[in-house]
Amino acid sequence: MSLAEHYTRFDVANRLLLTGHSHQAWPDVALEGQIEAFVDAASTVDDKWERAFAKADRVRNWFRTLLHDPSGDIALGANTHELVVRFLSALDMDRRPKLVTTDGEFHTLRRQLARLAEERVDVVLVPALPAETLAERLASEVDDRTAAVLVSSVLFETSRIVPGLDGLAEVCAARGVELLVDAYHALGVVPTTLDGLADAWVVGGGYKYLQLGEGNCFLRLPPHAQELRPVITGWYAEFDALADEKDPTRVTYGPGGTRFAGSTYDPTSHYRAVRVIDFFRAQGLTPEVLREISLRQTSLLAAAFDELDLVDATRDRSTPRSSFGGFLAVETPHAAQWQKALAARGVLTDSRGHHLRFGPAPYLRDDQLTAAMAALGEVSR
């Protein structure tokens, strides 16, 4: 399958873009979506929202499809942080002042939870590694003081898939504890279902592997979410009842995902997303196909890295590639230095701590992947 011809604006055929785990290129049709958003605004002005909301519904349905949750309640947001903050604001922190998470979470959770810890919220950090026992170790921290457990399904530094989240969900449900799963590094490279996670919250977005660009994030609500009242709430959460008489003593919320809605947003992101969603469907880029491509590409990168036989860099060889997500993590004390040197050679990667991350994408050729790894051999010398 050759996809590069559909990404001429990003010139993927002539660039070594190994940042597919952070920001994949957009297909050319994405620009058509952005133009459509402008045309609708220009022609209908404030009446554009009916068309914009229809695009938002398409985006919600796409996330439902990816989660295999056809009737799930989905709240949309510009980023995962605003959705996580609304989720946190709905917890009863007076009665349950404890949050359990890991030391391997993306900055969205890391920073916000660290700040809450400064305000005397009891935040328990469980070591993310080894991933094989992470779910079990998180479960052991759950007690009657715990409001929520927050964990990624794929760790953002190492790409390691976290097994056993269904068991963690069972423990949380038994103790009345909310479970929030960050699936951002799973969607588009690791087929995701809610088997055993029906009562979990799931947060994620399309900025990375799904090629939707900025402004396309979601929060999947469990059925019992209708009992919660987020303190951080936008006026879209009562959009369908704006004309109704308001009770000045109690804020009301809309049904379903609107309960966790925000306020006025830029709908251009959803116009762009719909064009990309239609492109993925036309190209047959199902979650299963994307997983197959990703595994083949990361395995190729891993084999090419092994051939370099570097002294001061390694990777996890004890775990099969099927236990990883969409990128290869190389561990080296020179991660930041090598990233800059690779960029100077036209190879775009990124680094997180001691991890140099190589993220392929479906539109890259095999020779581009081997060329990128050959460049690593050059900079390491």
Side-chain angles (χ1 to χ4, degrees):
M1 179 185 300
S2 177
L3 293 173
E5 64 184 282
H6 300 289
Y7 297 81
T8 61
R9 297 269 180 180
F10 275 76
D11 196 23
V12 300
N14 300 304
R15 301 169 71 187
L16 298 181
L17 299 177
L18 272 295
T19 51
H21 54 287
S22 179
H23 184 313
Q24 290 203 5
W26 305 340
D28 295 337
V29 294
L31 179 59
E32 298 175 9
Q34 297 195 176
I35 293 173
E36 182 187 2
F38 185 94
V39 171
D40 278 359
S43 61
T44 64
V45 196
D46 207 33
D47 289 336
K48 71 184 179 185
W49 290 106
E50 181 177 354
R51 302 182 186 187
F53 291 161
K55 302 293 185 184
D57 285 340
R58 291 282 310 279
V59 175
R60 286 190 189 89
N61 286 333
W62 180 237
F63 287 130
R64 291 185 180 108
T65 297
L66 295 176
L67 294 174
H68 295 84
D69 187 25
S71 60
D73 286 331
I74 300 288
L76 298 179
N79 51 69
T80 56
H81 179 256
E82 68 171 81
L83 295 166
V84 168
V85 167
R86 286 179 216 145
F87 163 77
L88 291 171
S89 78
L91 302 177
D92 186 356
M93 300 297 293
D94 289 331
R95 188 170 63 91
R96 291 175 175 256
K98 178 180 173 183
L99 300 173
V100 178
T101 187
T102 86
D103 64 1
E105 298 308 309
F106 186 70
H107 310 304
T108 294
L109 292 180
R110 175 197 61 79
R111 177 179 171 83
Q112 189 62 71
L113 296 183
R115 183 66 183 90
L116 288 175
E118 293 178 354
E119 298 300 321
R120 295 179 296 281
V121 173
D122 183 9
V123 178
V124 176
L125 287 179
V126 175
L129 299 178
E132 288 80 1
T133 62
L134 177 54
E136 180 181 352
R137 288 182 286 114
L138 286 168
S140 70
E141 295 289 346
V142 172
D143 57 28
D144 292 337
R145 296 179 63 252
T146 307
V149 177
L150 305 96
V151 61
S152 295
S153 59
V154 177
L155 299 175
F156 88 103
E157 287 185 314
T158 63
S159 190
R160 184 68 168 84
I161 297 173
V162 178
L165 292 181
D166 54 344
L168 173 60
E170 186 175 350
V171 171
C172 288
R175 303 298 287 266
V177 175
E178 304 297 345
L179 173 62
L180 183 141
V181 177
D182 182 346
Y184 218 136
H185 270 286
L187 295 176
V189 285
V190 179
T192 301
T193 70
L194 295 178
D195 292 343
L197 297 174
D199 289 328
W201 306 72
V202 181
V203 67
Y207 183 73
K208 305 179 189 297
Y209 308 96
L210 297 176
Q211 303 177 15
L212 304 184
E214 301 87 347
N216 288 293
C217 291
F218 74 92
L219 176 67
R220 181 267 178 184
L221 281 59
H224 66 270
Q226 304 308 310
E227 304 168 7
L228 302 183
R229 304 176 70 247
V231 175
I232 307 300
T233 181
W235 65 276
Y236 271 38
E238 59 176 10
F239 192 89
D240 293 333
L242 287 177
D244 296 347
E245 185 175 350
K246 302 296 182 294
D247 180 350
T249 66
R250 186 172 177 82
V251 173
T252 59
Y253 296 83
T258 58
R259 175 168 292 260
F260 283 78
S263 298
T264 309
Y265 64 97
D266 181 358
T268 303
S269 57
H270 294 159
Y271 278 81
R272 180 179 63 240
V274 166
R275 293 297 182 116
V276 176
I277 290 167
D278 288 342
F279 170 77
F280 267 47
R281 284 179 166 147
Q283 298 298 321
L285 296 176
T286 64
E288 292 72 25
V289 169
L290 290 169
R291 178 60 172 168
E292 180 182 351
I293 294 172
S294 176
L295 271 179
R296 187 184 64 77
Q297 290 183 325
T298 55
S299 297
L300 189 157
L301 284 169
F305 171 76
D306 290 347
E307 290 179 2
L308 296 177
D309 195 24
L310 301 182
V311 175
D312 47 359
T314 188
R315 69 175 182 87
D316 184 350
R317 297 184 177 88
S318 64
T319 307
R321 290 309 309 170
S322 58
S323 295
F324 290 90
F327 62 91
L328 172 69
V330 171
E331 190 169 0
T332 172
H334 312 297
Q337 176 186 351
W338 286 0
Q339 182 218 334
K340 293 179 181 178
L342 285 169
R345 287 167 169 76
V347 181
L348 298 187
T349 61
D350 69 6
S351 63
R352 294 290 185 269
H354 286 176
H355 292 98
L356 179 63
R357 306 191 302 175
F358 291 81
Y363 43 73
L364 293 180
R365 306 183 307 272
D366 288 358
D367 64 285
Q368 290 175 296
L369 304 182
T370 55
M373 202 53 68
L376 176 63
E378 294 174 5
V379 304
S380 67
R381 293 190 292 271

